[in-house]
Amino acid sequence: MNAKLIAIVGAVVALGTSAKVEAQPLEVCKKPIAEGYQEVGQTRLSVLFWDVYDAYLYTPNGQFNWSERKQTPKALLLRYLRDIEAKDLIETTAEEWEKLGFNTKQQSQWLDQLTAMWPDIKEDDCLLLRETEQGYAAFYQGEKQLGVIESAQFTEQFLAIWLSPESRFEEERDELIGKQ
């Protein structure tokens, strides 16, 4: 088992589950998605036997092609199936960027912005990234906008974690982008 998978499993085990809080209905989580967007695909990320989140990808025409990603506005919705601290989400983002070979000067600034905007996640919470017309990443939790990272490069690198052909979770990526 590789070291990163062991680290993820360890983090998931350490997080455990806490008392159940009122779940966000999925429809509330979807409200910030632009009107007319259609689901491309969905998947569930499980590490060993722990379910971590369900992911849903939306585009205006319900289709996604990596080679046309810059011309296709997207919304990525993650519905968490476990409690996860924001710092763990941010560390995982940095690790996935490293695995994908991304190394830009702005990454530490972007991670600081995520640290300032992302809350700790409770089971059934949702995080949504909706790509703006400018290609920026607008983050929402339910109907509440958490903030915007005004960088198209950030948006592309962040979404690459799930959508890139080099994504670590190939089977889940294929389900998410509707690849049959």
Side-chain angles (χ1 to χ4, degrees):
M1 195 179 294
N2 74 33
K4 285 186 181 179
L5 183 57
I6 291 171
I8 289 174
V9 169
V12 169
V13 171
L15 293 171
T17 58
S18 63
K20 183 82 169 155
V21 178
E22 182 81 19
Q24 287 180 315
L26 193 55
E27 290 309 311
V28 170
C29 297
K30 291 179 181 181
K31 282 188 177 183
I33 297 171
E35 192 171 320
Y37 274 41
Q38 301 171 40
E39 185 176 298
V40 176
Q42 61 180 282
T43 191
R44 174 167 285 182
L45 178 68
S46 298
V47 179
L48 295 180
F49 52 86
W50 291 283
D51 294 332
V52 181
Y53 59 74
D54 290 331
Y56 307 83
L57 179 65
Y58 301 88
T59 64
N61 65 3
Q63 298 177 6
F64 178 79
N65 184 316
W66 178 252
S67 64
E68 298 170 4
R69 67 191 175 278
K70 292 184 180 183
Q71 295 81 33
T72 306
K74 298 158 284 304
L76 177 70
L77 174 64
L78 302 176
R79 179 158 195 170
Y80 288 88
L81 305 170
R82 318 188 55 77
D83 293 358
I84 302 177
E85 293 181 15
K87 70 178 182 64
D88 293 326
L89 294 174
I90 293 161
E91 287 173 11
T92 301
T93 299
E95 290 168 3
E96 292 301 320
W97 281 342
E98 183 179 330
K99 185 222 173 268
L100 288 166
F102 298 144
N103 185 15
T104 61
K105 294 182 283 186
Q106 297 89 356
Q107 282 180 349
S108 67
Q109 177 187 354
W110 296 335
L111 294 171
D112 288 344
Q113 288 178 281
L114 292 176
T115 298
M117 94 174 54
W118 280 357
D120 290 338
I121 297 297
K122 299 293 180 201
E123 182 180 350
D124 288 325
D125 279 352
C126 298
L127 280 181
L128 171 73
L129 180 154
R130 187 184 77 208
E131 187 173 4
T132 69
E133 289 181 19
Q134 301 83 10
Y136 300 160
F139 286 98
Y140 295 82
Q141 183 178 35
E143 294 182 75
K144 178 185 176 195
Q145 186 178 55
L146 300 172
V148 178
I149 297 184
E150 295 181 353
S151 168
Q153 184 179 16
F154 166 84
T155 305
E156 182 171 343
Q157 289 185 12
F158 188 81
L159 289 172
I161 294 169
W162 292 271
L163 305 178
S164 166
E166 287 80 37
S167 174
R168 179 160 54 123
F169 300 102
E170 183 178 342
E171 185 176 316
E172 290 84 356
R173 174 204 180 259
D174 288 350
E175 290 174 350
L176 193 57
I177 66 168
K179 186 176 178 182
Q180 302 303 328

